[in-house]
């Protein structure tokens, strides 16, 4: 379990990933974000105050997000003349849908905590003094699931994020996950 506290996001809020002279994002930022997607790692982001730029992308890369009621999320890269390079747009689209993701990316509109929950960008919004306790409670609840089953469930859910050709593909993926779980060979 990885728990990201508000201080981490404050440290990167407003920043864009560093680029080389050709505008390519340096891999030092992309690799850690990709690692958050591992099936055997569950991540919870705890966010407070203004969160924008690379911090939004990092938060969206986490499995679950809990926001303090004073949190405000803003996708700032596009309105700043940049394309988010850490996978934030794809994650935003997966969570909020294509139309809302486009609107948020192209306008840079700030989303309050309650709206973020309604859009599916966050799991829960809590009073500021309860943020870390709520994140700890969620982390503890996640850890009650048997690890092999949790790994398979996350892997299966991730596989469903892309388009499926048929319902049969989903059933085949679920059957393969069940076989790996029964054999003790998760993900």
């Amino acid at each position: 379990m990885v728990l990201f506290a508000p201080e981490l996001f404050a440290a990167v809020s407003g920043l864009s990933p560093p680029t080389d002279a050709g505008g390519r994002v340096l891999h030092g930022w992309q690799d850690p974000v990709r690692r958050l997607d591992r099936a055997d790692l569950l991540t919870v982001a705890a966010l407070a105050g203004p969160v924008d730029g690379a911090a939004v992308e990092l938060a969206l890369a986490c499995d679950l997000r809990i926001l303090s009621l004073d949190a405000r999320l803003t996708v700032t890269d596009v309105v700043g003349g940049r394309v988010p390079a850490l996978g934030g747009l794809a994650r935003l689209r997966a969570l909020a849908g294509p139309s809302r993701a486009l609107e948020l990316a192209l306008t840079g509109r700030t989303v309050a905590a309650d709206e973020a929950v309604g859009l599916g960008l966050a799991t829960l919004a809590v009073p500021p003094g309860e943020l870390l306790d709520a994140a700890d409670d969620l982390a503890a609840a996640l850890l009650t699931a048997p690890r092999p089953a949790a790994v398979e469930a996350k892997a299966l859910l991730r596989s469903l994020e892309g388009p499926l050709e048929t319902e049969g593909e989903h059933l085949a993926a679920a059957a393969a996950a069940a076989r790996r779980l029964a054999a003790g060979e998760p993900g």
Side-chain angles (χ1 to χ4, degrees), residues 49-161:
V51 181
D52 56 27
V56 170
E57 291 196 79
L58 184 57
L60 293 177
C62 294
D63 296 309
L64 301 169
R65 288 150 302 283
I66 297 180
L67 278 56
S68 170
L69 287 171
D70 68 354
R72 295 172 312 284
L73 306 179
T74 311
V75 178
T76 57
D77 288 305
V78 177
V79 295
R82 301 173 303 277
V83 175
L86 300 177
L89 288 182
R91 291 179 183 96
L92 183 64
R93 181 188 189 283
L95 294 167
S99 295
R100 185 63 69 191
L102 183 64
E103 180 248 330
L104 293 174
L106 297 185
T107 65
R109 181 172 69 80
T110 297
V111 176
D114 286 336
E115 183 183 4
V117 171
L119 292 173
L121 300 177
T123 305
L124 183 65
V126 299
E130 299 174 19
L131 180 62
L132 293 181
D133 287 340
D136 285 341
D137 291 345
L138 178 57
L142 293 172
L143 292 173
T144 64
R147 183 173 173 75
V151 169
E152 286 298 338
K154 181 176 175 181
L156 183 58
L157 287 168
R158 289 287 190 246
S159 75
L160 298 175
E161 288 177 355

